[in-house]
Amino acid sequence: MACRPCAHSIIAFSINILNLSFMTDFLKQPWPWYVAGPLIGLTVPALLILGNKSFGISSSLRHICAACIPANIPFFKYAWKKEAWNLLFVAGIFLGGIIAAAFLSNPGPVALNPALAAELSQYGINDYTHLVPQDIFSWHSLLTLRGFLVMVAGGFLVGFGARYAGGCTSGHAIMGLSTLQLPSLVATICFMAGGFLMANLVLPFLLSL
């Protein structure tokens, strides 16, 4: 009879290990759109209900500059401390990305459509062992014309475009459309049109360099 509690503890521990293993395997798999999409969408009412806050990511860069740059620039002179929650929100995204990459990443190569893999191989892109192809996104590729245009020039244009449009895809396509903002509808249409043009016309040219 003295061993029965031990047996129960071992069984309970084994069940917990199995459940943890199942949960870990589940988290390592790509989530379908009907799970990930609603979770992202529910961020909007959650922020509105909890603190009457607007969902957005690109504005955090302005808050960081306003907090760190000791310059008399009117664009950075505002009560940025009231938006400190946004910095914490972005920090949580960053920390979550680190945790996911370190503990929940799938060790297998990224699965691509065979037609897409064949097209990319024409541009010398064959490494799918990371979330992004190392043939483009790496320190070695940064020193090439193609890598510089994609990472540096592309990153600058993304940041400039987000500020010029008054928000990024999260601020306009998610938050703005949810609150029926006409400027956000126009911005989202431009985002989509720019994405189609980039994917079909500009990107093939850049990859061929």
Side-chain angles (χ1 to χ4, degrees):
M1 295 296 295
C3 295
R4 182 173 295 179
C6 295
H8 288 169
S9 299
I10 293 174
I11 293 174
F13 179 76
S14 300
I15 292 175
N16 290 332
I17 291 296
L18 291 175
N19 290 336
L20 179 61
S21 177
F22 172 78
M23 182 60 67
T24 302
D25 292 339
F26 172 75
L27 292 176
K28 287 183 177 180
Q29 301 302 315
W31 287 17
W33 63 266
Y34 51 82
V35 174
L39 288 177
I40 295 174
L42 288 174
T43 304
V44 174
L47 288 175
L48 290 175
I49 294 173
L50 294 177
N52 195 27
K53 303 296 184 180
S54 297
F55 179 62
I57 302 300
S58 62
S59 57
S60 60
L61 178 59
R62 184 189 180 192
H63 304 330
I64 293 174
C65 293
C68 299
I69 299 179
N72 190 23
I73 302 176
F75 184 71
F76 295 139
K77 295 180 66 175
Y78 64 97
W80 62 268
K81 292 183 179 180
K82 294 183 178 180
E83 306 298 331
W85 71 271
N86 187 267
L87 297 178
L88 294 176
F89 187 87
V90 173
I93 295 176
F94 179 74
L95 180 61
I98 293 177
I99 294 175
F103 302 105
L104 300 175
S105 60
N106 191 327
V110 177
L112 292 182
N113 185 286
L116 177 58
E119 181 179 354
L120 292 177
S121 65
Q122 299 176 3
Y123 301 109
I125 301 174
N126 301 292
D127 185 359
Y128 308 125
T129 57
H130 297 77
L131 290 177
V132 292
Q134 297 296 293
D135 301 304
I136 301 178
F137 299 96
S138 65
W139 290 109
H140 174 74
S141 299
L142 182 60
L143 302 178
T144 65
L145 177 61
R146 180 176 69 175
F148 181 85
L149 290 176
V150 170
M151 287 186 280
V152 179
F156 172 80
L157 290 175
V158 168
F160 174 81
R163 285 293 81 211
Y164 187 77
C168 57
T169 51
S170 60
H172 281 304
I174 299 177
M175 187 71 195
L177 292 182
S178 299
T179 53
L180 305 179
Q181 301 293 323
L182 180 59
S184 294
L185 176 61
V186 175
T188 302
I189 292 174
C190 292
F191 291 157
M192 296 299 296
F196 287 132
L197 291 174
M198 180 67 189
N200 292 282
L201 297 178
V202 181
L203 186 59
F205 170 76
L206 294 177
L207 294 181
S208 64
L209 295 177

